[in-house]
Amino acid sequence: LEDTGCTCPPNSLDSILSCSADTCTYTVQVTYWIGYQPGTNDTLLLLSVCPSGYCYSNGTQSDFMLPVNATREQLDSFICGGQHRTGLACGECVAGTAPAINSDTYACVKCSPGDASLNVFYYIMAEYVPLLLIFLCIIVFNIKLTTGSANAFIMYAQIVSSTFGLTADGEIPLNRISPHSDRIVNSYKVPYNLFNLQVFVNLLPPLCIGTQLNTMDIISLKYLEALFPLLVIILIVVALKLQMRIGGGGTTCCAALHRWKCSLLPAFAAFLLLSYNRFCFIASQVIAPQPIRDLENNQVSTSAYFEASFALNDAAYVARYLLPTLLILMTFVLLLPLLLLDYPLKWAEKFCMRC
């Protein structure tokens, strides 16, 4: 490697599988990134874990050999270029591409303003319209997801679709097992993703919805998916209130709901059940740390896991992503579940009697 000499790192770096000082070659696991600090002339070689789908992958091997005597640009292109990425831990998309909103690995795809506008329409039709229909069915038919064995299955589906990866973050090359590995993964992820408020969007090819959006922007936009059911419930309440005002006659909220043969309480319970895991999952991606180390295994800095160009103490990261995430965690993860105390305390029933 350029300007670093032929020295091997200590054995404590389990990411380096083998090193030869004689031939000046490194063999690295596919789940790791190695390179230089972008935008500087620093010759310190850095190392970090690579998010799944960000770094070098030939699809069939679990390790790769670094090119000999590579320049900074060649090393960056070798490790990140195949995924259309660049920068620290391959955290940025190259020019002309943007992260896809419906990709689990936030794949960088070609993006133009015209394509982005059309993709927003596809995204809404595949994600928000089905969610609207699902929650309207829950409200109209008074479907209760929090009773019986349904909630246990939903929680299982949420865990499977959000935390279990058959590739172990890229360490297991599924293409070696079958060339149709992507279809095998989708065969279980697509049905389970329904209970993570992701309906048909994963069946579409990767969609970019903005040429200027980075990965952290895309992750933060996913909060809207989790908030959408609550928005539907609020709009229905507002519509009922307006109908009562226009219709007059002293029709109460409860009577209107009874005449419509529906109830908003099961829908609100469904929102809590389905959105809670989604909020936690998105927040964990926003606040996940990415330690950057040198070849002596000393930690040099700590960045955001999915966008290493943002240091965790960066003012822009704190203001744009961390503070909104903490607000969402306090409101929807800590505060709203307290409403589950409604069952023994009958708060909703007392409120409905007063409305």
Side-chain angles (χ1 to χ4, degrees), residues 226-247:
L227 285 169
F228 183 72
L230 180 61
L231 178 62
V232 172
I233 296 171
I234 292 175
L235 290 177
I236 291 177
V237 171
V238 172
L240 285 173
K241 291 290 186 180
L242 291 176
Q243 186 272 335
M244 288 163 48
R245 286 179 176 273
I246 296 173

Side-chain angles (χ1 to χ4, degrees), residues 69-255:
N69 296 326
T71 64
R72 303 167 68 94
E73 293 76 16
Q74 289 171 339
L75 185 60
D76 180 77
S77 177
F78 177 80
I79 296 181
C80 307
Q83 310 300 327
H84 306 294
R85 288 187 166 273
T86 186
L88 191 65
C90 301
E92 302 176 59
C93 292
V94 298
T97 67
I101 195 167
N102 61 327
S103 169
D104 291 337
T105 59
Y106 304 106
C108 295
V109 295
K110 291 183 179 180
C111 192
S112 66
D115 292 338
S117 300
L118 188 61
N119 289 341
V120 169
F121 171 77
Y122 293 145
Y123 173 60
I124 292 175
M125 295 300 297
E127 179 66 18
Y128 289 99
V129 172
L131 276 181
L132 175 62
L133 296 177
I134 289 172
F135 268 81
L136 286 179
C137 288
I138 291 175
I139 294 170
V140 172
F141 298 105
N142 199 16
I143 299 174
K144 298 179 180 179
L145 300 181
T146 55
T147 59
S149 57
N151 55 353
F153 172 77
I154 290 173
M155 291 181 180
Y156 169 78
Q158 290 175 333
I159 292 174
V160 169
S161 59
S162 62
T163 60
F164 293 163
L166 294 182
T167 63
D169 281 341
E171 291 190 20
I172 302 175
L174 288 183
N175 287 344
R176 185 187 298 175
I177 302 173
S178 170
H180 306 292
S181 58
D182 292 339
R183 296 179 183 177
I184 295 174
V185 172
N186 282 335
S187 67
Y188 84 90
K189 289 196 70 172
V190 170
Y192 284 145
N193 273 338
L194 173 64
F195 302 101
N196 260 331
L197 301 178
Q198 293 178 292
V199 191
F200 301 120
V201 70
N202 287 326
L203 295 176
L204 299 176
L207 303 175
C208 85
I209 61 171
T211 57
Q212 302 300 319
L213 298 179
N214 59 45
T215 305
M216 296 303 296
D217 293 329
I218 293 296
I219 295 174
S220 299
L221 282 174
K222 290 180 178 290
Y223 282 128
L224 296 178
E225 298 174 2
L227 285 169
F228 183 72
L230 180 61
L231 178 62
V232 172
I233 296 171
I234 292 175
L235 290 177
I236 291 177
V237 171
V238 172
L240 285 173
K241 291 290 186 180
L242 291 176
Q243 186 272 335
M244 288 163 48
R245 286 179 176 273
I246 296 173
T251 303
T252 65
C253 174
C254 295

Side-chain angles (χ1 to χ4, degrees), residues 46 67 242-243 246 262 293 317:
L46 303 175
L242 291 176
Q243 186 272 335
I246 296 173
C262 64
R293 302 180 181 275
Y317 167 79

